[in-house]
Each structure stands twice: as C-alpha cells, then as structure tokens.
Amino acid sequence: LKTLNSALALRGEETGSFATIDLLTLRRETGEAVFYKYGAAPSYLKRLGSVRRITGTALPAGLREAPAPPDVTRLRLDRLLDLGREQLVADAGSDEWLQDFLAGWSGEDPQALAGAILAECRKRGVLRDDCAVQAVYFPEAGVKRA
C-alpha cells in the first residue's frame, strides 16, 4: 500500500489524480480481520443486532508526496457481515438510515443484503454515480479458534 501511495503521488504531480483504497484481509481460520483505509468511505460490521462503523482519517493515496501509512483497524471476529461501500451511498455524517437498515436485517445471504441495500438506495434517490456494495458473511461454524 505504501508503494502504491508513492506511485500515485508521483503520477498525481503530473495529473492531479488520487485514489481511495479500502482493503480488508481475513484469516478465516482464526477470525482475525484487518481493515486498511486510504481516504475510503466507512465500512460497517454487523454482529447480531449491533452495527459498528469503521472509519479512518488518512488521505486518499497519491495526495501526499511522502509515503504515508494507511489507517489500520484490527479485529477478531466470531461472525462477520461486512459492508464496504462508496461514499455516495451514505457518509459518516448521514448514515443513520444505513446503520438502522443493517441492524434490522436478519438474513444471512450476502448477495441478498447487497441487493437490498442497492434497492434502498434507489428508493431514497442516493445513487448519483456508480456504486459498489460488498457483503461478506461467515457462518459461526466457519471460524475456528486457534
């Protein structure tokens, strides 16, 4: 990620471009998860009825001349339902509807959840640009303890 940030910074000097990066690594066998964020929109973790927002303060990759580290959040998970999505769906200041939606959702099919979120976005009229929704689900039996 640091190398990518440096490369984008060099390119940005010529073009003024940058990129947001939102990376999640999972160790399914132990339940360890690490979020890496460069200027990325919030991600959401749902465990049973509670929803946790994961945010960061790092600038998007390519906006600094010197390599800067990403924001890093480490978690240990028993069950995971992660939603990463673009800023146009909701942002940290106006995402109550999304948190409520996730808290009330009781399904286990990640594809159904992604479709339901997109449908809700269409209904609310918040799809102004391209949009990505990613949902990952691990059944409780899928995570082994070390």
Coordinates of all heavy atoms in Angstrom, one line a residue, residues 42-119:
P42 N -16.7 4.9 5.1 CA -16.8 4.0 6.2 C -17.2 2.5 5.8 O -17.8 2.3 4.8 CB -17.9 4.6 7.1 CG -18.0 6.0 6.6 CD -17.6 6.0 5.2
S43 N -16.7 1.6 6.6 CA -17.2 0.2 6.5 C -18.0 -0.1 7.7 O -17.9 0.6 8.7 CB -16.0 -0.8 6.4 OG -15.3 -0.6 5.2
Y44 N -18.9 -1.1 7.6 CA -19.8 -1.4 8.7 C -19.7 -2.9 9.0 O -19.7 -3.8 8.2 CB -21.2 -1.1 8.3 CG -21.4 0.4 8.0 CD1 -21.2 0.9 6.7 CD2 -21.7 1.3 9.0 CE1 -21.3 2.2 6.5 CE2 -21.8 2.6 8.8 CZ -21.6 3.1 7.5 OH -21.7 4.4 7.2
L45 N -19.6 -3.2 10.3 CA -19.6 -4.6 10.8 C -20.9 -4.8 11.6 O -21.3 -4.0 12.4 CB -18.5 -4.8 11.8 CG -17.1 -4.9 11.2 CD1 -16.1 -5.0 12.3 CD2 -17.0 -6.2 10.3
K46 N -21.6 -5.9 11.2 CA -22.8 -6.2 11.9 C -22.6 -7.5 12.7 O -22.2 -8.5 12.1 CB -24.0 -6.3 11.0 CG -25.3 -6.8 11.7 CD -26.5 -6.9 10.8 CE -27.6 -7.4 11.6 NZ -28.8 -7.5 10.9
R47 N -22.9 -7.5 13.9 CA -22.9 -8.7 14.8 C -24.2 -8.8 15.5 O -24.5 -7.9 16.3 CB -21.8 -8.7 15.8 CG -20.4 -8.7 15.2 CD -19.3 -8.9 16.2 NE -18.1 -8.6 15.6 CZ -17.0 -8.3 16.3 NH1 -17.0 -8.2 17.6 NH2 -15.9 -8.1 15.7
L48 N -25.0 -9.8 15.1 CA -26.3 -9.9 15.6 C -27.1 -8.6 15.4 O -27.2 -8.2 14.3 CB -26.3 -10.3 17.1 CG -25.5 -11.6 17.4 CD1 -25.4 -11.9 18.8 CD2 -26.2 -12.8 16.6
G49 N -27.5 -7.9 16.4 CA -28.3 -6.6 16.2 C -27.5 -5.4 16.3 O -28.1 -4.3 16.1
S50 N -26.2 -5.4 16.5 CA -25.4 -4.2 16.6 C -24.6 -4.0 15.4 O -24.1 -4.9 14.7 CB -24.5 -4.2 17.9 OG -23.5 -5.2 17.7
V51 N -24.4 -2.7 15.1 CA -23.6 -2.3 13.9 C -22.5 -1.4 14.4 O -22.7 -0.5 15.1 CB -24.5 -1.5 12.9 CG1 -23.7 -1.0 11.7 CG2 -25.7 -2.4 12.5
R52 N -21.3 -1.6 13.9 CA -20.1 -0.8 14.2 C -19.6 -0.2 12.9 O -19.4 -0.9 11.9 CB -19.0 -1.7 14.8 CG -17.7 -0.9 15.1 CD -16.7 -1.8 15.7 NE -15.4 -1.1 15.8 CZ -14.3 -1.6 16.1 NH1 -14.2 -2.9 16.5 NH2 -13.2 -0.9 16.2
R53 N -19.3 1.1 13.0 CA -18.7 1.8 11.8 C -17.2 1.9 12.0 O -16.7 2.2 13.0 CB -19.3 3.3 11.8 CG -18.7 4.1 10.6 CD -19.0 5.6 10.7 NE -20.4 5.9 10.9 CZ -20.8 6.7 11.9 NH1 -20.0 7.3 12.6 NH2 -22.1 7.0 12.0
I54 N -16.5 1.6 10.9 CA -15.0 1.6 10.9 C -14.6 2.7 9.9 O -15.0 2.6 8.7 CB -14.4 0.3 10.5 CG1 -14.8 -0.8 11.5 CG2 -12.9 0.4 10.3 CD1 -14.4 -2.1 11.2
T55 N -14.0 3.8 10.4 CA -13.6 4.9 9.6 C -12.1 5.1 9.7 O -11.4 4.4 10.4 CB -14.3 6.2 10.0 OG1 -14.0 6.4 11.4 CG2 -15.8 6.0 9.9
G56 N -11.6 6.1 9.0 CA -10.2 6.4 9.0 C -10.0 7.9 8.7 O -10.9 8.6 8.3
T57 N -8.8 8.4 9.0 CA -8.5 9.8 8.7 C -7.4 10.0 7.6 O -7.1 11.1 7.3 CB -8.1 10.5 10.0 OG1 -6.9 9.9 10.5 CG2 -9.2 10.5 11.0
A58 N -6.8 8.9 7.2 CA -5.8 9.0 6.2 C -6.3 9.6 4.9 O -7.4 9.3 4.5 CB -5.1 7.6 5.9
L59 N -5.5 10.4 4.2 CA -5.9 11.0 2.9 C -5.9 9.9 1.9 O -5.2 8.9 2.0 CB -4.9 12.1 2.6 CG -4.9 13.4 3.4 CD1 -3.7 14.3 3.0 CD2 -6.2 14.1 3.3
P60 N -6.6 10.1 0.8 CA -6.5 9.2 -0.3 C -5.1 9.0 -0.8 O -4.3 9.9 -0.7 CB -7.4 9.8 -1.4 CG -8.4 10.7 -0.6 CD -7.6 11.2 0.5
A61 N -4.8 7.8 -1.4 CA -3.5 7.5 -1.9 C -3.1 8.5 -3.0 O -4.0 8.7 -3.9 CB -3.4 6.1 -2.3
G62 N -1.9 9.0 -3.0 CA -1.5 9.9 -4.0 C -1.6 11.4 -3.7 O -1.1 12.3 -4.5
L63 N -2.2 11.8 -2.6 CA -2.3 13.2 -2.2 C -1.2 13.7 -1.4 O -1.1 14.9 -1.2 CB -3.6 13.4 -1.4 CG -4.9 13.4 -2.2 CD1 -6.1 13.7 -1.3 CD2 -4.8 14.5 -3.4
R64 N -0.3 12.9 -1.0 CA 0.9 13.3 -0.3 C 2.2 12.9 -1.1 O 2.2 11.9 -1.7 CB 1.0 12.6 1.1 CG 0.0 13.1 2.0 CD 0.3 12.4 3.4 NE -0.7 12.9 4.3 CZ -0.7 12.6 5.6 NH1 0.3 11.8 6.1 NH2 -1.6 13.0 6.4
E65 N 3.2 13.8 -1.0 CA 4.4 13.5 -1.7 C 5.2 12.4 -1.0 O 5.7 11.5 -1.7 CB 5.3 14.7 -1.8 CG 4.7 15.8 -2.8 CD 5.6 17.0 -2.9 OE1 6.8 16.9 -2.6 OE2 5.0 18.1 -3.2
A66 N 5.2 12.4 0.3 CA 5.9 11.4 1.0 C 5.0 10.2 1.3 O 3.8 10.5 1.6 CB 6.5 11.9 2.3
P67 N 5.4 9.0 1.3 CA 4.6 7.9 1.6 C 4.0 8.0 3.0 O 4.7 8.3 3.9 CB 5.5 6.6 1.4 CG 6.7 7.1 0.7 CD 6.8 8.5 0.9
A68 N 2.7 7.8 3.1 CA 2.1 7.9 4.4 C 1.4 6.5 4.7 O 0.9 5.9 3.7 CB 1.1 9.0 4.4
P69 N 1.3 6.0 5.9 CA 0.7 4.8 6.2 C -0.8 4.9 6.1 O -1.4 6.0 6.3 CB 1.1 4.4 7.6 CG 1.4 5.7 8.2 CD 1.9 6.6 7.1
P70 N -1.5 3.8 5.8 CA -3.0 3.8 5.8 C -3.5 3.8 7.2 O -2.7 3.5 8.1 CB -3.3 2.6 5.0 CG -2.2 1.6 5.3 CD -1.0 2.5 5.4
D71 N -4.8 4.0 7.4 CA -5.4 3.8 8.7 C -5.5 2.2 8.8 O -5.9 1.6 7.8 CB -6.8 4.4 8.8 CG -6.7 5.9 8.9 OD1 -6.0 6.4 9.8 OD2 -7.3 6.6 8.0
V72 N -5.3 1.7 10.0 CA -5.3 0.2 10.2 C -6.2 0.0 11.4 O -6.0 0.5 12.5 CB -3.9 -0.4 10.4 CG1 -4.0 -1.8 10.7 CG2 -3.0 -0.1 9.2
T73 N -7.2 -0.9 11.2 CA -8.1 -1.4 12.3 C -8.0 -2.9 12.3 O -8.3 -3.5 11.3 CB -9.5 -0.9 12.1 OG1 -9.6 0.5 12.0 CG2 -10.4 -1.3 13.2
R74 N -7.6 -3.4 13.5 CA -7.5 -4.9 13.6 C -8.7 -5.4 14.5 O -8.9 -4.8 15.6 CB -6.2 -5.3 14.3 CG -5.0 -4.9 13.4 CD -3.7 -5.2 14.1 NE -2.6 -4.7 13.4 CZ -2.0 -5.2 12.3 NH1 -2.5 -6.3 11.8 NH2 -1.0 -4.6 11.7
L75 N -9.3 -6.5 14.1 CA -10.4 -7.1 14.9 C -10.3 -8.6 14.9 O -9.7 -9.2 14.1 CB -11.7 -6.7 14.2 CG -12.0 -5.2 14.0 CD1 -13.2 -5.1 13.0 CD2 -12.4 -4.6 15.3
R76 N -10.9 -9.1 15.9 CA -11.1 -10.6 16.0 C -12.6 -10.8 15.9 O -13.3 -10.3 16.7 CB -10.5 -11.1 17.3 CG -10.5 -12.6 17.3 CD -9.6 -13.1 18.4 NE -9.6 -14.5 18.4 CZ -8.6 -15.3 17.9 NH1 -7.6 -14.7 17.4 NH2 -8.7 -16.6 18.0
L77 N -13.0 -11.7 15.0 CA -14.4 -11.8 14.7 C -14.9 -13.3 15.0 O -14.2 -14.2 14.7 CB -14.7 -11.5 13.2 CG -14.2 -10.2 12.7 CD1 -14.2 -10.1 11.2 CD2 -14.9 -9.1 13.4
D78 N -16.1 -13.3 15.5 CA -16.8 -14.6 15.6 C -17.7 -14.8 14.4 O -17.6 -15.8 13.7 CB -17.6 -14.7 16.9 CG -16.7 -14.7 18.1 OD1 -15.7 -15.3 18.1 OD2 -17.1 -14.0 19.1
R79 N -18.5 -13.9 14.1 CA -19.4 -13.9 12.9 C -19.1 -12.5 12.3 O -19.0 -11.5 12.9 CB -20.8 -14.0 13.3 CG -21.2 -15.4 13.8 CD -22.6 -15.4 14.3 NE -23.5 -15.1 13.2 CZ -24.4 -16.0 12.8 NH1 -24.6 -17.2 13.4 NH2 -25.2 -15.8 11.8
L80 N -19.2 -12.5 11.0 CA -18.9 -11.3 10.2 C -19.9 -11.0 9.2 O -20.2 -11.9 8.4 CB -17.5 -11.4 9.6 CG -17.1 -10.3 8.6 CD1 -17.0 -9.0 9.3 CD2 -15.9 -10.7 7.9
L81 N -20.4 -9.8 9.1 CA -21.1 -9.3 8.0 C -20.5 -8.0 7.7 O -20.8 -7.0 8.5 CB -22.6 -9.3 8.3 CG -23.5 -8.8 7.2 CD1 -23.3 -9.7 6.0 CD2 -24.9 -8.9 7.7
D82 N -19.7 -7.8 6.7 CA -19.0 -6.6 6.4 C -19.6 -5.9 5.2 O -19.9 -6.6 4.2 CB -17.5 -6.8 6.2 CG -16.9 -5.6 5.6 OD1 -17.0 -4.5 6.2 OD2 -16.3 -5.7 4.5
L83 N -19.8 -4.6 5.3 CA -20.3 -3.9 4.2 C -19.4 -2.8 3.9 O -19.2 -1.9 4.8 CB -21.7 -3.3 4.5 CG -22.2 -2.3 3.6 CD1 -22.6 -3.0 2.3 CD2 -23.4 -1.6 4.1
G84 N -18.7 -2.8 2.8 CA -17.9 -1.7 2.4 C -18.6 -1.0 1.2 O -19.1 -1.8 0.3
R85 N -18.7 0.3 1.1 CA -19.5 0.9 0.0 C -18.9 2.3 -0.3 O -18.2 2.8 0.5 CB -21.0 0.9 0.3 CG -21.3 1.3 1.7 CD -21.6 2.8 1.6 NE -21.6 3.3 3.0 CZ -20.8 4.3 3.3 NH1 -19.9 4.7 2.5 NH2 -21.0 4.8 4.5
E86 N -19.3 2.7 -1.4 CA -18.8 4.0 -1.9 C -19.5 5.2 -1.1 O -20.6 5.0 -0.6 CB -19.1 4.2 -3.4 CG -18.4 3.2 -4.3 CD -16.9 3.4 -4.2 OE1 -16.4 4.5 -4.2 OE2 -16.2 2.4 -4.1
Q87 N -18.8 6.3 -1.1 CA -19.2 7.5 -0.3 C -20.6 8.0 -0.7 O -21.3 8.6 0.0 CB -18.2 8.6 -0.5 CG -18.3 9.7 0.5 CD -17.9 9.3 1.9 OE1 -17.1 8.4 2.1 NE2 -18.3 10.0 2.9
L88 N -21.0 7.7 -2.0 CA -22.3 8.3 -2.5 C -23.5 7.6 -1.9 O -24.6 8.1 -1.9 CB -22.4 8.2 -4.0 CG -21.4 9.1 -4.7 CD1 -21.4 8.9 -6.2 CD2 -21.7 10.6 -4.3
V89 N -23.4 6.4 -1.3 CA -24.5 5.7 -0.7 C -24.8 6.4 0.6 O -26.0 6.7 0.9 CB -24.2 4.2 -0.4 CG1 -25.3 3.6 0.4 CG2 -24.0 3.5 -1.7
A90 N -23.9 6.7 1.4 CA -24.0 7.4 2.7 C -22.6 7.8 3.2 O -21.7 7.2 2.7 CB -24.7 6.5 3.8
D91 N -22.6 8.8 4.0 CA -21.3 9.1 4.6 C -21.4 9.1 6.1 O -22.5 8.9 6.6 CB -20.7 10.4 4.1 CG -21.6 11.6 4.4 OD1 -22.2 11.6 5.5 OD2 -21.7 12.5 3.6
A92 N -20.3 9.2 6.8 CA -20.3 9.1 8.3 C -21.2 10.1 8.9 O -21.7 9.9 10.0 CB -18.9 9.2 8.8
G93 N -21.5 11.2 8.3 CA -22.4 12.2 8.8 C -23.9 12.0 8.5 O -24.8 12.6 9.1
S94 N -24.2 11.1 7.6 CA -25.6 10.9 7.2 C -25.9 9.4 6.9 O -26.5 9.0 5.9 CB -26.0 11.7 6.0 OG -25.2 11.3 4.8
D95 N -25.4 8.5 7.8 CA -25.5 7.1 7.6 C -26.5 6.4 8.6 O -26.5 5.2 8.6 CB -24.2 6.4 7.5 CG -23.5 6.5 8.9 OD1 -24.0 7.2 9.8 OD2 -22.4 5.8 9.0
E96 N -27.3 7.2 9.3 CA -28.1 6.6 10.3 C -29.1 5.6 9.6 O -29.4 4.5 10.2 CB -28.9 7.6 11.1 CG -28.1 8.3 12.1 CD -28.9 9.3 12.9 OE1 -30.1 9.0 13.2 OE2 -28.4 10.4 13.3
W97 N -29.6 5.9 8.4 CA -30.6 5.1 7.7 C -29.9 3.7 7.4 O -30.5 2.7 7.5 CB -31.1 5.7 6.5 CG -30.1 5.8 5.4 CD1 -29.3 6.8 5.1 CD2 -29.8 4.8 4.4 NE1 -28.5 6.5 4.0 CE2 -28.8 5.3 3.5 CE3 -30.3 3.5 4.1 CZ2 -28.3 4.6 2.5 CZ3 -29.8 2.8 3.1 CH2 -28.8 3.3 2.2
L98 N -28.6 3.8 7.0 CA -27.9 2.5 6.7 C -27.6 1.7 7.9 O -27.8 0.5 7.9 CB -26.6 2.9 6.0 CG -25.7 1.7 5.5 CD1 -26.5 0.7 4.6 CD2 -24.5 2.2 4.8
Q99 N -27.2 2.3 9.0 CA -27.0 1.6 10.3 C -28.3 1.0 10.8 O -28.3 -0.2 11.2 CB -26.4 2.5 11.3 CG -25.0 2.9 11.0 CD -24.3 3.7 12.2 OE1 -24.2 3.2 13.3 NE2 -23.9 4.9 11.9
D100 N -29.4 1.7 10.7 CA -30.7 1.1 11.1 C -31.1 0.0 10.2 O -31.6 -1.0 10.6 CB -31.8 2.2 11.1 CG -31.6 3.3 12.1 OD1 -30.9 3.0 13.1 OD2 -32.2 4.3 12.0
F101 N -30.8 0.1 8.9 CA -31.2 -0.9 7.9 C -30.4 -2.2 8.2 O -30.9 -3.3 8.3 CB -30.8 -0.4 6.5 CG -31.2 -1.3 5.4 CD1 -32.5 -1.3 4.9 CD2 -30.3 -2.3 4.9 CE1 -32.9 -2.2 3.8 CE2 -30.7 -3.1 3.9 CZ -31.9 -3.1 3.4
L102 N -29.1 -2.0 8.5 CA -28.3 -3.2 8.8 C -28.7 -3.8 10.1 O -28.7 -5.1 10.2 CB -26.8 -2.8 8.9 CG -26.1 -2.5 7.5 CD1 -24.8 -1.9 7.7 CD2 -26.0 -3.7 6.7
A103 N -28.9 -3.0 11.1 CA -29.3 -3.6 12.4 C -30.6 -4.4 12.3 O -30.8 -5.4 13.0 CB -29.5 -2.4 13.5
G104 N -31.5 -4.0 11.5 CA -32.8 -4.6 11.3 C -32.8 -5.8 10.4 O -33.8 -6.6 10.3
W105 N -31.7 -6.0 9.6 CA -31.7 -7.0 8.6 C -31.3 -8.3 9.3 O -30.3 -8.4 10.0 CB -30.6 -6.7 7.6 CG -30.7 -7.6 6.4 CD1 -31.7 -7.5 5.4 CD2 -29.8 -8.6 6.0 NE1 -31.4 -8.5 4.4 CE2 -30.3 -9.2 4.8 CE3 -28.7 -9.1 6.6 CZ2 -29.6 -10.2 4.1 CZ3 -28.0 -10.2 5.9 CH2 -28.5 -10.7 4.7
S106 N -32.1 -9.4 9.1 CA -31.9 -10.6 9.8 C -31.5 -11.8 8.9 O -31.3 -12.9 9.4 CB -33.1 -11.0 10.6 OG -34.2 -11.2 9.7
G107 N -31.2 -11.5 7.7 CA -30.8 -12.6 6.7 C -29.4 -13.0 6.9 O -28.6 -12.4 7.7
E108 N -29.0 -14.0 6.1 CA -27.6 -14.5 6.1 C -27.0 -14.6 4.8 O -25.9 -15.0 4.6 CB -27.5 -15.8 6.8 CG -27.9 -15.8 8.3 CD -27.7 -17.1 9.0 OE1 -27.4 -18.1 8.3 OE2 -27.8 -17.1 10.2
D109 N -27.7 -14.1 3.7 CA -27.2 -14.2 2.4 C -26.6 -12.9 2.0 O -27.3 -11.9 1.8 CB -28.4 -14.6 1.4 CG -28.0 -14.7 0.0 OD1 -26.8 -14.4 -0.4 OD2 -28.8 -15.1 -0.8
P110 N -25.3 -12.8 1.8 CA -24.6 -11.6 1.5 C -25.1 -11.0 0.1 O -25.2 -9.7 0.0 CB -23.1 -11.9 1.4 CG -23.0 -13.4 1.3 CD -24.3 -13.9 1.9
Q111 N -25.4 -11.8 -0.9 CA -25.9 -11.3 -2.1 C -27.3 -10.6 -2.0 O -27.6 -9.6 -2.5 CB -26.0 -12.4 -3.2 CG -26.4 -11.9 -4.6 CD -26.2 -13.0 -5.6 OE1 -25.7 -14.1 -5.3 NE2 -26.7 -12.7 -6.8
A112 N -28.1 -11.2 -1.1 CA -29.4 -10.6 -0.9 C -29.3 -9.3 -0.1 O -30.0 -8.3 -0.4 CB -30.3 -11.6 0.0
L113 N -28.3 -9.2 0.8 CA -28.1 -8.0 1.5 C -27.6 -6.9 0.6 O -28.1 -5.7 0.6 CB -27.1 -8.2 2.6 CG -26.7 -6.9 3.4 CD1 -27.9 -6.2 4.0 CD2 -25.6 -7.2 4.4
A114 N -26.6 -7.2 -0.3 CA -26.1 -6.2 -1.2 C -27.3 -5.7 -2.1 O -27.4 -4.5 -2.3 CB -25.0 -6.8 -2.1
G115 N -28.1 -6.6 -2.6 CA -29.2 -6.2 -3.5 C -30.2 -5.3 -2.7 O -30.8 -4.3 -3.2
A116 N -30.5 -5.7 -1.4 CA -31.4 -4.9 -0.6 C -30.9 -3.5 -0.4 O -31.7 -2.5 -0.4 CB -31.7 -5.6 0.7
I117 N -29.6 -3.4 -0.1 CA -29.0 -2.0 0.1 C -29.1 -1.2 -1.2 O -29.5 0.0 -1.1 CB -27.6 -2.2 0.6 CG1 -27.5 -2.7 2.0 CG2 -26.8 -0.8 0.5 CD1 -26.2 -3.1 2.5
L118 N -28.8 -1.8 -2.3 CA -28.9 -1.0 -3.6 C -30.4 -0.6 -3.8 O -30.6 0.5 -4.3 CB -28.3 -1.8 -4.7 CG -26.8 -1.9 -4.7 CD1 -26.4 -2.9 -5.8 CD2 -26.2 -0.6 -4.9
A119 N -31.3 -1.5 -3.6 CA -32.7 -1.2 -3.8 C -33.1 -0.1 -2.8 O -33.8 0.9 -3.3 CB -33.6 -2.4 -3.5

